[in-house]
Amino acid sequence: MPKELYIGLMSGTSIDGLDACLIDMQSGKPQVIAVDSCKWSDTEAKALHELCQSSNDEIEKEGKACVFIAKKQAFLVNDLISKAKLKNEDIIAVGTHGQTVRHRPKLNFSKQLDLGPLTAALTGIDTVVNFRAADLAAGGDGAPLTPAFHQMMLKNDHRDRYVLNLGGISNLTVIEKSGKVLAGFDCGPANTLLDLCCRELFNKPYDEDAKIASQGKIRQDWLCELLDHPYLKRDFPKSSGREDFNEKTVKKYLNLVKNKEASGADLLATLCEFSVRAVIDEIIKIKQRFTSLDKGDLILCGGGAYNPLIKQRFEEYCLKLDLKVLRSDEVGIHPSYMEAEAFAWFTYMCINGKPIDLTHSTGAKYPTILGCICPASTGRFVKSRIK
Protein backbone atom coordinates (compact mmCIF):
# COMPACT_ATOMS: atom_id res chain seq x y z
CA MET A 1 0.00 0.00 0.00
CA PRO A 2 1.25 3.54 -0.74
CA LYS A 3 2.24 5.50 2.35
CA GLU A 4 0.06 8.38 3.58
CA LEU A 5 2.57 10.69 5.21
CA TYR A 6 1.79 13.71 7.39
CA ILE A 7 3.93 15.88 9.67
CA GLY A 8 2.76 17.56 12.88
CA LEU A 9 4.57 20.48 14.55
CA MET A 10 4.12 21.61 18.12
CA SER A 11 5.49 24.41 20.30
CA GLY A 12 3.89 24.47 23.73
CA THR A 13 3.22 27.04 26.41
CA SER A 14 6.68 26.49 27.90
CA ILE A 15 8.29 27.91 24.72
CA ASP A 16 11.27 25.60 25.07
CA GLY A 17 11.41 24.34 21.49
CA LEU A 18 9.66 23.03 18.41
CA ASP A 19 8.80 19.33 18.03
CA ALA A 20 8.02 17.48 14.79
CA CYS A 21 6.50 14.05 14.17
CA LEU A 22 6.18 12.25 10.82
CA ILE A 23 3.40 9.65 10.67
CA ASP A 24 2.04 7.19 8.14
CA MET A 25 -1.78 6.89 8.07
CA GLN A 26 -2.12 4.05 5.54
CA SER A 27 -3.47 1.69 8.23
CA GLY A 28 -6.00 4.28 9.45
CA LYS A 29 -4.06 4.77 12.70
CA PRO A 30 -0.86 6.80 13.11
CA GLN A 31 2.40 4.91 12.71
CA VAL A 32 5.37 7.06 13.71
CA ILE A 33 8.10 7.11 11.04
CA ALA A 34 10.45 9.73 12.54
CA VAL A 35 10.63 12.54 15.08
CA ASP A 36 12.85 15.60 15.42
CA SER A 37 13.07 18.79 17.42
CA CYS A 38 14.94 22.07 17.66
CA LYS A 39 15.30 24.74 20.32
CA TRP A 40 14.19 28.32 20.00
CA SER A 41 17.20 30.60 20.14
CA ASP A 42 17.47 32.85 23.21
CA THR A 43 16.36 35.81 21.08
CA GLU A 44 13.38 33.92 19.64
CA ALA A 45 12.30 32.59 23.03
CA LYS A 46 12.56 36.06 24.59
CA ALA A 47 10.42 37.55 21.81
CA LEU A 48 7.75 34.84 22.23
CA HIS A 49 7.67 35.16 26.01
CA GLU A 50 7.23 38.94 25.67
CA LEU A 51 4.30 38.47 23.26
CA CYS A 52 2.46 36.50 25.92
CA GLN A 53 1.87 39.81 27.71
CA SER A 54 0.51 43.13 26.50
CA SER A 55 3.18 45.58 25.35
CA ASN A 56 3.87 48.41 22.94
CA ASP A 57 4.01 47.84 19.18
CA GLU A 58 2.60 44.33 19.45
CA ILE A 59 1.54 44.13 15.80
CA GLU A 60 5.11 44.72 14.59
CA LYS A 61 6.51 42.22 17.10
CA GLU A 62 3.86 39.67 16.20
CA GLY A 63 4.56 40.00 12.48
CA LYS A 64 8.28 39.45 12.96
CA ALA A 65 7.62 36.46 15.22
CA CYS A 66 5.28 34.86 12.68
CA VAL A 67 8.06 35.05 10.08
CA PHE A 68 10.76 33.45 12.23
CA ILE A 69 8.30 30.79 13.45
CA ALA A 70 7.41 29.84 9.86
CA LYS A 71 11.09 29.73 8.84
CA LYS A 72 11.97 27.55 11.85
CA GLN A 73 9.07 25.25 11.07
CA ALA A 74 10.19 24.90 7.46
CA PHE A 75 13.78 24.20 8.53
CA LEU A 76 12.63 21.46 10.91
CA VAL A 77 10.28 19.91 8.35
CA ASN A 78 12.97 19.82 5.68
CA ASP A 79 15.49 18.39 8.15
CA LEU A 80 13.07 15.70 9.35
CA ILE A 81 12.25 14.62 5.78
CA SER A 82 15.95 14.45 4.91
CA LYS A 83 16.75 12.35 7.99
CA ALA A 84 13.89 10.00 7.08
CA LYS A 85 15.42 9.63 3.59
CA LEU A 86 12.25 10.91 1.94
CA LYS A 87 11.40 13.71 -0.47
CA ASN A 88 9.18 16.69 0.27
CA GLU A 89 6.74 15.59 -2.43
CA ASP A 90 6.20 12.36 -0.45
CA ILE A 91 4.45 14.33 2.31
CA ILE A 92 0.74 15.02 1.86
CA ALA A 93 0.55 17.88 4.37
CA VAL A 94 2.19 19.56 7.34
CA GLY A 95 0.13 20.69 10.33
CA THR A 96 1.46 23.40 12.63
CA HIS A 97 0.05 24.33 16.01
CA GLY A 98 1.90 27.67 16.01
CA GLN A 99 2.80 29.43 19.24
CA THR A 100 -0.01 30.32 21.62
CA VAL A 101 0.37 33.85 22.98
CA ARG A 102 -3.25 34.48 24.02
CA HIS A 103 -6.00 32.07 24.97
CA ARG A 104 -9.31 33.89 25.54
CA PRO A 105 -12.13 31.37 25.09
CA LYS A 106 -14.61 33.59 26.92
CA LEU A 107 -13.95 36.19 24.21
CA ASN A 108 -14.18 33.52 21.49
CA PHE A 109 -10.56 33.62 20.36
CA SER A 110 -7.26 31.89 20.87
CA LYS A 111 -4.15 33.32 19.20
CA GLN A 112 -1.45 31.04 17.81
CA LEU A 113 1.36 32.84 15.98
CA ASP A 114 1.99 31.19 12.62
CA LEU A 115 2.41 31.93 8.92
CA GLY A 116 1.14 28.93 6.99
CA PRO A 117 1.71 30.29 3.48
CA LEU A 118 5.40 30.92 4.23
CA THR A 119 5.89 27.43 5.70
CA ALA A 120 4.14 26.01 2.62
CA ALA A 121 6.34 28.08 0.29
CA LEU A 122 9.57 27.05 2.03
CA THR A 123 8.72 23.35 2.05
CA GLY A 124 6.59 22.95 -1.06
CA ILE A 125 4.06 21.09 1.12
CA ASP A 126 0.44 22.05 1.83
CA THR A 127 0.33 23.43 5.37
CA VAL A 128 -2.59 23.36 7.82
CA VAL A 129 -2.82 26.02 10.55
CA ASN A 130 -5.29 27.59 13.01
CA PHE A 131 -6.60 24.33 14.45
CA ARG A 132 -8.48 25.89 17.37
CA ALA A 133 -10.70 28.34 15.49
CA ALA A 134 -13.38 25.90 14.30
CA ASP A 135 -13.90 24.52 17.81
CA LEU A 136 -14.26 28.05 19.18
CA ALA A 137 -16.76 28.84 16.40
CA ALA A 138 -18.75 25.78 17.51
CA GLY A 139 -19.01 27.16 21.04
CA GLY A 140 -16.04 25.28 22.49
CA ASP A 141 -13.03 26.56 24.39
CA GLY A 142 -10.66 25.63 21.54
CA ALA A 143 -8.69 23.56 24.06
CA PRO A 144 -7.69 20.98 24.91
CA LEU A 145 -7.83 19.34 21.48
CA THR A 146 -5.81 16.22 22.30
CA PRO A 147 -8.51 14.19 24.15
CA ALA A 148 -9.79 12.85 20.81
CA PHE A 149 -6.27 11.66 19.97
CA HIS A 150 -5.79 10.19 23.45
CA GLN A 151 -9.06 8.29 23.07
CA MET A 152 -8.03 6.74 19.75
CA MET A 153 -4.51 5.82 20.84
CA LEU A 154 -4.78 4.93 24.52
CA LYS A 155 -8.22 3.54 25.34
CA ASN A 156 -8.08 0.16 27.05
CA ASP A 157 -10.87 -2.44 27.30
CA HIS A 158 -9.84 -3.50 30.80
CA ARG A 159 -8.64 -0.36 32.56
CA ASP A 160 -9.79 3.22 32.94
CA ARG A 161 -7.24 5.63 31.56
CA TYR A 162 -6.29 9.14 32.72
CA VAL A 163 -3.94 10.75 30.20
CA LEU A 164 -2.08 13.74 31.63
CA ASN A 165 -0.01 16.07 29.46
CA LEU A 166 2.42 18.07 31.57
CA GLY A 167 3.48 20.93 29.35
CA GLY A 168 3.35 24.56 30.40
CA ILE A 169 -0.23 23.83 31.46
CA SER A 170 -1.49 20.40 32.52
CA ASN A 171 -4.40 18.87 30.64
CA LEU A 172 -6.21 15.69 31.59
CA THR A 173 -8.25 13.23 29.49
CA VAL A 174 -10.43 10.69 31.29
CA ILE A 175 -11.31 7.58 29.27
CA GLU A 176 -13.42 4.84 30.81
CA LYS A 177 -13.05 1.17 29.90
CA SER A 178 -15.81 1.40 27.27
CA GLY A 179 -13.59 3.84 25.36
CA LYS A 180 -15.84 6.82 26.07
CA VAL A 181 -14.18 10.13 26.98
CA LEU A 182 -15.81 11.33 30.17
CA ALA A 183 -13.87 14.60 30.36
CA GLY A 184 -10.92 16.47 28.91
CA PHE A 185 -9.78 19.79 30.35
CA ASP A 186 -6.87 21.88 31.66
CA CYS A 187 -6.19 21.27 35.34
CA GLY A 188 -3.76 24.12 36.04
CA PRO A 189 -0.06 24.89 35.68
CA ALA A 190 2.47 22.13 35.04
CA ASN A 191 5.82 23.66 34.07
CA THR A 192 4.98 27.28 33.31
CA LEU A 193 5.39 28.66 36.85
CA LEU A 194 8.34 26.36 37.60
CA ASP A 195 10.19 27.49 34.47
CA LEU A 196 9.36 31.14 35.11
CA CYS A 197 10.87 30.96 38.59
CA CYS A 198 13.94 29.11 37.28
CA ARG A 199 14.54 31.90 34.78
CA GLU A 200 14.01 34.61 37.38
CA LEU A 201 15.95 33.09 40.28
CA PHE A 202 18.56 30.77 38.81
CA ASN A 203 19.04 32.01 35.23
CA LYS A 204 18.10 28.53 33.99
CA PRO A 205 15.37 27.65 31.46
CA TYR A 206 14.11 24.85 33.74
CA ASP A 207 15.03 22.76 36.78
CA GLU A 208 16.68 19.75 35.16
CA ASP A 209 15.77 16.50 36.94
CA ALA A 210 14.25 18.63 39.74
CA LYS A 211 17.73 19.01 41.23
CA ILE A 212 16.89 22.35 42.85
CA ALA A 213 13.33 21.50 43.89
CA SER A 214 14.48 18.24 45.49
CA GLN A 215 16.65 20.27 47.90
CA GLY A 216 13.70 22.36 49.05
CA LYS A 217 10.73 21.87 51.36
CA ILE A 218 7.06 22.39 50.56
CA ARG A 219 5.77 25.60 52.13
CA GLN A 220 2.26 24.58 53.19
CA ASP A 221 1.18 28.20 53.66
CA TRP A 222 2.15 29.02 50.07
CA LEU A 223 0.58 25.82 48.78
CA CYS A 224 -2.76 26.64 50.45
CA GLU A 225 -2.73 30.10 48.87
CA LEU A 226 -1.92 28.70 45.43
CA LEU A 227 -4.63 26.05 45.66
CA ASP A 228 -7.14 28.82 46.36
CA HIS A 229 -6.73 30.09 42.78
CA PRO A 230 -10.14 30.86 41.19
CA TYR A 231 -9.46 28.75 38.09
CA LEU A 232 -9.15 25.60 40.21
CA LYS A 233 -12.67 26.13 41.57
CA ARG A 234 -14.28 26.14 38.12
CA ASP A 235 -16.00 23.05 36.81
CA PHE A 236 -15.03 21.51 33.48
CA PRO A 237 -15.16 21.96 30.53
CA LYS A 238 -12.49 24.59 31.02
CA SER A 239 -9.15 25.60 29.56
CA SER A 240 -6.31 27.72 30.82
CA GLY A 241 -3.04 29.40 29.93
CA ARG A 242 -0.70 32.16 30.97
CA GLU A 243 -3.69 34.43 31.32
CA ASP A 244 -4.50 32.52 34.54
CA PHE A 245 -1.05 31.40 35.69
CA ASN A 246 1.75 33.93 35.24
CA GLU A 247 4.21 36.11 37.10
CA LYS A 248 1.41 37.68 39.13
CA THR A 249 0.61 34.24 40.54
CA VAL A 250 4.06 33.90 42.09
CA LYS A 251 5.16 37.55 42.44
CA LYS A 252 4.80 37.53 46.22
CA TYR A 253 6.99 34.42 46.59
CA LEU A 254 9.56 35.58 44.04
CA ASN A 255 9.99 38.84 45.94
CA LEU A 256 10.49 36.99 49.23
CA VAL A 257 13.22 34.87 47.66
CA LYS A 258 14.88 37.82 45.94
CA ASN A 259 14.89 39.69 49.27
CA LYS A 260 16.50 36.61 50.88
CA GLU A 261 13.48 36.11 53.14
CA ALA A 262 12.73 32.66 51.70
CA SER A 263 14.39 29.84 49.79
CA GLY A 264 14.29 29.49 46.01
CA ALA A 265 14.49 25.71 46.38
CA ASP A 266 11.46 25.82 48.68
CA LEU A 267 9.56 27.79 46.06
CA LEU A 268 10.31 25.24 43.34
CA ALA A 269 9.41 22.35 45.66
CA THR A 270 6.12 24.05 46.48
CA LEU A 271 5.34 24.71 42.82
CA CYS A 272 6.01 21.05 41.97
CA GLU A 273 3.53 20.08 44.67
CA PHE A 274 1.05 22.68 43.40
CA SER A 275 1.23 21.22 39.87
CA VAL A 276 0.56 17.73 41.25
CA ARG A 277 -2.20 18.71 43.68
CA ALA A 278 -4.10 20.70 41.05
CA VAL A 279 -4.39 17.46 39.06
CA ILE A 280 -5.01 15.08 41.95
CA ASP A 281 -7.82 17.23 43.30
CA GLU A 282 -9.50 17.12 39.86
CA ILE A 283 -9.10 13.33 39.64
CA ILE A 284 -10.75 12.96 43.06
CA LYS A 285 -13.70 15.07 41.88
CA ILE A 286 -13.92 13.07 38.64
CA LYS A 287 -14.01 9.75 40.51
CA GLN A 288 -16.71 11.09 42.82
CA ARG A 289 -18.83 12.21 39.85
CA PHE A 290 -18.37 9.13 37.69
CA THR A 291 -18.81 6.27 40.12
CA SER A 292 -18.32 3.67 37.36
CA LEU A 293 -14.60 4.51 37.29
CA ASP A 294 -12.48 1.83 38.92
CA LYS A 295 -8.80 0.92 38.93
CA GLY A 296 -6.82 2.41 36.10
CA ASP A 297 -3.70 4.10 34.81
CA LEU A 298 -2.45 7.67 35.02
CA ILE A 299 -0.34 8.10 31.88
CA LEU A 300 2.11 11.01 31.94
CA CYS A 301 3.42 12.76 28.84
CA GLY A 302 4.98 16.13 28.02
CA GLY A 303 8.14 17.61 29.50
CA GLY A 304 6.87 17.28 33.07
CA ALA A 305 6.77 13.50 32.68
CA TYR A 306 10.58 13.60 33.01
CA ASN A 307 10.50 15.49 36.32
CA PRO A 308 11.34 12.79 38.90
CA LEU A 309 9.92 14.74 41.84
CA ILE A 310 6.58 15.33 40.12
CA LYS A 311 6.39 11.67 39.04
CA GLN A 312 7.22 10.51 42.57
CA ARG A 313 4.51 12.67 44.09
CA PHE A 314 1.93 11.39 41.60
CA GLU A 315 2.89 7.82 42.49
CA GLU A 316 2.43 8.53 46.19
CA TYR A 317 -1.00 10.15 45.75
CA CYS A 318 -2.22 7.59 43.21
CA LEU A 319 -1.63 4.64 45.55
CA LYS A 320 -4.79 5.74 47.40
CA LEU A 321 -6.71 6.26 44.15
CA ASP A 322 -6.09 2.77 42.69
CA LEU A 323 -4.15 4.30 39.80
CA LYS A 324 -0.88 3.03 38.39
CA VAL A 325 1.41 5.83 37.19
CA LEU A 326 3.04 5.22 33.80
CA ARG A 327 5.00 7.36 31.41
CA SER A 328 3.53 7.29 27.92
CA ASP A 329 6.57 5.56 26.43
CA GLU A 330 5.51 2.54 28.52
CA VAL A 331 2.34 2.35 26.41
CA GLY A 332 3.95 3.10 23.06
CA ILE A 333 4.00 6.90 22.65
CA HIS A 334 7.06 9.10 23.19
CA PRO A 335 6.27 11.59 26.01
CA SER A 336 7.95 14.51 24.24
CA TYR A 337 6.25 13.94 20.89
CA MET A 338 2.69 13.04 21.92
CA GLU A 339 1.31 16.44 20.90
CA ALA A 340 3.28 16.68 17.66
CA GLU A 341 1.92 13.26 16.71
CA ALA A 342 -1.58 14.45 17.62
CA PHE A 343 -1.26 17.44 15.29
CA ALA A 344 -0.03 15.19 12.49
CA TRP A 345 -3.25 13.21 12.98
CA PHE A 346 -5.36 16.38 13.12
CA THR A 347 -3.76 17.32 9.79
CA TYR A 348 -4.76 13.98 8.26
CA MET A 349 -8.31 14.50 9.53
CA CYS A 350 -8.47 18.04 8.07
CA ILE A 351 -7.09 17.10 4.65
CA ASN A 352 -9.58 14.23 4.44
CA GLY A 353 -12.54 16.34 5.58
CA LYS A 354 -13.17 14.33 8.75
CA PRO A 355 -14.73 16.13 11.73
CA ILE A 356 -13.39 15.54 15.25
CA ASP A 357 -15.76 15.21 18.19
CA LEU A 358 -14.61 17.38 21.10
CA THR A 359 -18.02 17.96 22.63
CA HIS A 360 -16.92 15.96 25.68
CA SER A 361 -13.85 18.11 26.37
CA THR A 362 -14.00 21.65 24.95
CA GLY A 363 -17.74 22.09 25.28
CA ALA A 364 -18.23 22.48 21.51
CA LYS A 365 -21.84 22.02 20.42
CA TYR A 366 -20.94 19.70 17.55
CA PRO A 367 -17.93 17.97 15.93
CA THR A 368 -15.82 20.15 13.63
CA ILE A 369 -13.12 19.90 10.96
CA LEU A 370 -10.10 21.48 12.62
CA GLY A 371 -7.59 23.58 10.69
CA CYS A 372 -7.27 25.91 7.68
CA ILE A 373 -5.37 24.75 4.58
CA CYS A 374 -2.61 26.89 3.03
CA PRO A 375 -1.82 25.26 -0.34
CA ALA A 376 1.75 25.17 -1.62
CA SER A 377 2.19 26.02 -5.31
CA THR A 378 3.62 22.53 -5.91
CA GLY A 379 1.59 20.76 -3.22
CA ARG A 380 -1.03 18.01 -3.39
CA PHE A 381 -3.98 20.44 -3.33
CA VAL A 382 -2.88 22.19 -6.52
CA LYS A 383 -1.73 19.02 -8.25
CA SER A 384 -5.06 17.30 -7.60
CA ARG A 385 -6.81 20.08 -9.51
CA ILE A 386 -4.57 20.13 -12.57
CA LYS A 387 -6.31 18.36 -15.41
Side-chain angles (χ1 to χ4, degrees):
M1 293 175 65
K3 293 185 182 298
E4 293 185 54
L5 303 178
Y6 297 84
I7 292 176
L9 298 171
M10 180 68 195
S11 178
T13 314
S14 297
I15 312 181
D16 52 0
L18 184 63
D19 298 321
C21 183
L22 169 62
I23 64 169
D24 181 7
M25 286 298 302
Q26 63 176 328
S27 69
K29 194 171 182 179
Q31 301 296 320
V32 175
I33 304 299
V35 295
D36 202 357
S37 63
C38 61
K39 295 290 185 184
W40 298 112
S41 70
D42 291 344
T43 301
E44 291 167 340
K46 184 174 183 291
L48 295 176
H49 280 296
E50 287 178 353
L51 280 164
C52 292
Q53 301 177 11
S54 297
S55 64
N56 294 326
D57 209 13
E58 279 187 284
I59 294 176
E60 180 83 4
K61 294 174 184 175
E62 177 186 325
K64 290 178 178 178
C66 286
V67 171
F68 75 66
I69 288 170
K71 288 182 176 179
K72 196 98 165 189
Q73 289 172 345
F75 165 81
L76 187 57
V77 166
N78 292 332
D79 189 55
L80 177 64
I81 293 170
S82 175
K83 288 179 178 177
K85 296 183 166 53
L86 295 166
K87 298 177 181 178
N88 287 39
E89 54 262 35
D90 295 328
I91 311 301
I92 295 173
V94 170
T96 84
H97 171 268
Q99 181 62 58
T100 299
V101 291
R102 293 288 192 285
H103 183 61
R104 304 284 198 188
K106 299 305 179 190
L107 299 177
N108 294 106
F109 80 90
S110 184
K111 184 70 172 176
Q112 285 72 46
L113 301 187
D114 215 337
L115 198 54
L118 181 55
T119 301
L122 295 174
T123 60
I125 305 169
D126 297 340
T127 299
V128 183
V129 297
N130 205 11
F131 283 91
R132 301 189 185 276
D135 186 83
L136 283 155
D141 262 22
L145 302 181
T146 48
F149 178 75
H150 295 158
Q151 178 187 34
M152 176 186 61
M153 298 296 290
L154 294 170
K155 63 184 177 183
N156 185 287
D157 293 338
H158 307 290
R159 295 178 68 81
D160 300 320
R161 286 273 169 88
Y162 300 74
V163 185
L164 179 65
N165 180 63
L166 295 165
I169 300 294
S170 64
N171 60 70
L172 181 71
T173 305
V174 183
I175 312 165
E176 66 176 355
K177 286 184 287 291
S178 68
K180 180 181 178 182
V181 173
L182 298 180
F185 59 96
D186 291 340
C187 299
N191 299 316
T192 188
L193 297 180
L194 281 163
D195 293 351
L196 185 158
C197 290
C198 273
R199 293 193 301 271
E200 287 283 323
L201 299 175
F202 302 102
N203 196 29
K204 295 177 180 289
Y206 67 101
D207 182 13
E208 185 175 3
D209 295 328
K211 290 175 183 174
I212 302 172
S214 297
Q215 297 172 19
K217 295 181 180 179
I218 298 167
R219 288 282 303 263
Q220 291 297 331
D221 52 340
W222 293 356
L223 180 61
C224 288
E225 291 171 352
L226 290 163
L227 287 170
D228 197 42
H229 194 288
Y231 178 81
L232 306 184
K233 299 176 183 178
R234 288 173 49 193
D235 197 7
F236 64 85
K238 59 181 179 177
S239 59
S240 185
R242 292 190 181 203
E243 294 75 21
D244 295 307
F245 300 101
N246 51 46
E247 190 171 359
K248 292 180 182 178
T249 313
V250 292
K251 185 176 181 180
K252 167 185 172 181
Y253 317 118
L254 279 172
N255 287 339
L256 288 171
V257 175
K258 288 177 179 179
N259 293 332
K260 303 188 184 308
E261 298 174 49
S263 159
D266 287 356
L267 177 54
L268 294 192
T270 304
L271 290 175
C272 281
E273 187 72 6
F274 177 41
S275 295
V276 172
R277 278 288 305 276
V279 174
I280 291 296
D281 289 352
E282 293 288 2
I283 290 176
I284 291 170
K285 287 187 279 188
I286 288 284
K287 288 176 76 72
Q288 290 171 344
R289 179 179 302 191
F290 299 104
T291 55
S292 62
L293 288 169
D294 195 10
K295 296 180 180 179
D297 304 313
L298 176 64
I299 300 171
L300 307 181
C301 58
Y306 293 99
N307 184 311
L309 179 57
I310 283 179
K311 187 170 185 290
Q312 176 191 331
R313 294 299 290 150
F314 272 121
E315 289 169 341
E316 291 169 0
Y317 279 113
C318 285
L319 278 174
K320 299 177 182 178
L321 296 172
D322 286 328
L323 296 178
K324 181 179 181 181
V325 179
L326 303 168
R327 218 168 58 185
S328 65
D329 50 347
E330 297 179 70
V331 290
I333 302 180
H334 195 298
S336 296
Y337 294 97
M338 171 88 80
E339 290 196 296
E341 184 178 346
F343 276 87
W345 179 69
F346 295 150
T347 303
Y348 158 80
M349 295 292 281
C350 176
I351 292 295
N352 288 278
K354 297 183 178 185
I356 296 176
D357 186 0
L358 292 167
T359 55
H360 45 59
S361 50
T362 67
K365 295 180 176 62
Y366 49 84
T368 56
I369 297 172
L370 304 179
C372 304
I373 302 172
C374 304
S377 60
T378 56
R380 298 291 184 99
F381 183 87
V382 170
K383 287 179 178 178
S384 69
R385 279 150 181 78
I386 296 175
K387 296 181 181 179

